[in-house]
Amino acid sequence: MLIGPIFSRELVTAPRRTQHFVYRGVYGIALFVLMCTAWLVVAGTQIIRSVGDMAKFASLLFFILSLLQLALMTFLAAVRAASGVAQEKDKKTILLLLMTQLSNHELVLGKLLASLLDVLVMLATAAPIFLLLTLFGGVSAAQVGRVFAVTLATVLAAGSLGSTVALARDKTFQSLAMTALILMIWIVVWEAVAALAGEAQIGGLPVKTIASAASPVRAILAATRPSRDTLDLFAAADSWFVVVASAICVLLNGFAILRLRVWNPGRDVRPQEQEDAEAAWNASSDVEAARAAHIDARVRTVDQQSRQVWDNPVLWREMCTWAYGRKMLVIKAVYWLFVILAALAVYSTIQDRSAYLRASETIIPAAAQPLAPFFLISLVIVNALAVTSITNERDGGSLDLLLVTDLSPKEFLFGKMLGVTYVTWEMVAAPPALCMVLW
């Protein structure tokens, strides 16, 4: 098979796990409950006088559910694909896979599709529920198909991004955080281009149309609108977005396939291999040089006082060392860029008076449009660091060592929690600060 045995195994074993059915069951029930709740709210606050009122309700609910599903599926696909590869690295099983007869494309594509299997099943579960909206009127089956085509293309592109980043990085948190930040850059850049370009054109095409063909958010908005020309498949920008997202998916996976054995094994394995090779060479050529390099021959000179470890060594390690790598500086720098962009967007809504519109005059308040994705990315980064701070200890075997020390459960848990809060203090403090400024 082109995909390989990794996906074949996941396809056979996934139905044996309870979570496979829980995911699609909970997601389908949540969509159906949300639809019923919206209908009860509308029917309880106004009188449905005509078929047009029902069609208006269906189109509004279809718009909201499409955006909600796109956001959920995109981040879920990216996180699951990145964590699936990172888990192999943490448990060192990536080395076993590299030593098998699996080809690069079988390993990359098989791991990607195996990670996205539950996401694709959830997406298939939502299709009949979305088709129920066509019974109200105002929404056609063609619109539902276009929305699901855009969502599927975005899921594959986001999953490919997460898999590629995880294959290139060694630490789980770096993979998850960089994946989430790149996704936000993808969306924010095209939103800024569309907002700043105005009515400008490139090659006879409006810049906003080009942005709709490159941004998943604008593509899903175009897909929710009725198509004027149903015969021409590529008359709408969302159809071109499917082509662009498919090209991104092919390029990312092709690059990962080419660089798989260059990136892996990671840096934590290569230095040890290099040291062993150098030691063997020195032993065969110059015994004295090998003895001089031995650890027993080294003379340690104390030129400064050792650092004082706190009573809670877990908290001390989280706050006083590079426990999560120096790439945290890059992640923090990119996040501060998002803080500035979100602040400028809020300031813009205040200046053009759109922030003062009543809630009934717009579906999503203007001030919430730039803040909602900013809050989402903050939540994803903090949650990713909190999870990986524990799973890394467990996968590396150090959790067992900590359990046999005199550390109390309180010291371990609060040490991890406070350490994560200290490392991600920008993600914790910036969202409430922007809310206070807006208030």
Side-chain angles (χ1 to χ4, degrees):
M1 292 178 60
L2 176 64
I3 301 177
I6 295 180
F7 177 70
S8 301
R9 175 186 177 277
E10 184 68 19
L11 195 63
V12 174
T13 59
R16 303 176 186 175
R17 295 192 293 264
T18 305
Q19 63 183 20
H20 179 75
F21 301 95
V22 171
Y23 287 155
R24 64 181 185 179
V26 170
Y27 183 61
I29 293 174
L31 288 178
F32 189 74
V33 169
L34 182 60
M35 183 188 304
C36 295
T37 304
W39 171 253
L40 292 176
V41 170
V42 171
T45 56
Q46 57 184 314
I47 301 176
I48 307 298
R49 300 182 181 275
S50 63
V51 178
D53 294 338
M54 297 181 65
K56 187 179 298 184
F57 162 76
S59 60
L60 178 60
L61 183 59
F62 178 64
F63 172 79
I64 296 175
L65 290 182
S66 299
L67 284 176
L68 180 63
Q69 178 173 258
L70 178 71
L72 176 63
M73 292 298 174
T74 300
F75 280 94
L76 186 60
V79 170
R80 284 189 65 87
S83 60
V85 176
Q87 187 178 16
E88 299 285 353
K89 289 190 172 185
D90 292 337
K91 294 182 177 180
K92 308 299 182 183
T93 52
I94 188 71
L95 302 177
L96 302 179
L97 293 175
L98 292 173
M99 290 188 295
T100 62
Q101 296 181 353
L102 287 174
S103 60
N104 288 5
H105 72 269
E106 288 178 335
L107 204 156
V108 173
L109 298 180
K111 196 63 188 174
L112 170 64
L113 294 180
S115 302
L116 298 181
L117 183 60
D118 288 332
V119 180
L120 297 177
V121 169
M122 291 170 61
L123 192 61
T125 303
I129 300 176
F130 273 75
L131 288 173
L132 287 177
L133 294 175
T134 60
L135 301 178
F136 291 93
V139 178
S140 65
Q143 288 176 259
V144 176
R146 289 164 53 195
V147 165
F148 272 77
V150 171
T151 306
L152 178 60
T154 307
V155 164
L156 293 177
S160 301
L161 174 64
S163 175
T164 303
V165 172
L167 287 171
R169 305 308 311 165
D170 293 331
K171 293 186 178 294
T172 304
F173 171 69
Q174 293 179 8
S175 302
L176 297 176
M178 292 178 67
T179 300
L181 291 174
I182 293 174
L183 282 177
M184 288 303 302
I185 290 174
W186 182 17
I187 297 173
V188 169
V189 166
W190 286 109
E191 289 295 320
V193 168
L196 298 177
E199 302 299 329
Q201 295 185 355
I202 298 178
L205 289 175
V207 175
K208 291 184 177 180
T209 302
I210 299 176
S212 299
S215 170
V217 175
R218 291 190 166 268
I220 204 72
L221 294 179
T224 55
R225 293 191 292 266
S227 178
R228 297 181 180 180
D229 190 357
T230 58
L231 298 179
D232 189 358
L233 182 61
F234 294 99
D238 57 276
S239 300
W240 285 107
F241 172 79
V242 175
V243 176
V244 172
S246 301
I248 293 174
C249 181
V250 171
L251 292 176
L252 287 174
N253 286 300
F255 185 62
I257 291 172
L258 291 176
R259 302 285 297 178
L260 174 63
R261 299 182 187 274
V262 178
W263 291 332
N264 300 281
R267 299 177 182 178
D268 56 340
V269 178
R270 292 183 184 274
Q272 185 64 36
E273 294 177 349
Q274 185 176 1
E275 291 178 3
D276 294 342
E278 291 178 355
W281 174 261
N282 292 334
S284 61
S285 60
D286 192 352
V287 178
E288 294 300 327
R291 290 177 178 175
H294 196 269
I295 188 172
D296 294 336
R298 299 175 187 174
V299 178
R300 180 177 181 269
T301 58
V302 180
D303 55 353
Q304 60 182 0
Q305 186 178 3
S306 300
R307 290 188 295 177
Q308 185 70 27
V309 181
W310 301 343
D311 293 337
N312 189 339
V314 175
L315 182 60
W316 177 84
R317 175 182 177 272
E318 299 282 320
M319 298 181 62
C320 299
T321 65
W322 294 100
Y324 302 104
R326 297 182 183 273
K327 289 296 187 296
M328 276 297 303
L329 298 177
V330 178
I331 297 173
K332 288 176 177 288
V334 176
Y335 184 82
W336 274 111
L337 177 61
F338 281 124
V339 173
I340 296 173
L341 293 176
L344 291 176
V346 171
Y347 178 77
S348 176
T349 60
I350 296 175
Q351 290 298 312
D352 61 13
R353 309 292 296 180
S354 60
Y356 298 92
L357 294 176
R358 296 181 58 183
S360 59
E361 299 179 19
T362 177
I363 297 176
I364 303 177
Q369 293 175 6
L371 290 182
F374 176 67
F375 291 172
L376 179 61
I377 194 66
S378 303
L379 179 63
V380 169
I381 293 177
V382 174
N383 180 261
L385 183 61
V387 172
T388 56
S389 66
I390 303 295
T391 56
N392 286 344
E393 302 283 0
R394 177 180 297 170
D395 295 335
S398 55
L399 182 60
D400 296 334
L401 299 178
L402 292 175
L403 292 177
V404 298
T405 64
D406 57 353
L407 279 174
S408 65
K410 184 187 300 184
E411 290 176 329
F412 177 77
L413 292 177
F414 282 97
K416 286 293 184 181
M417 292 173 57
L418 295 177
V420 169
T421 304
Y422 174 79
V423 175
T424 60
W425 69 268
E426 299 96 334
M427 296 76 170
V428 176
L434 286 180
C435 287
M436 292 299 296
V437 170
L438 183 61
W439 176 76

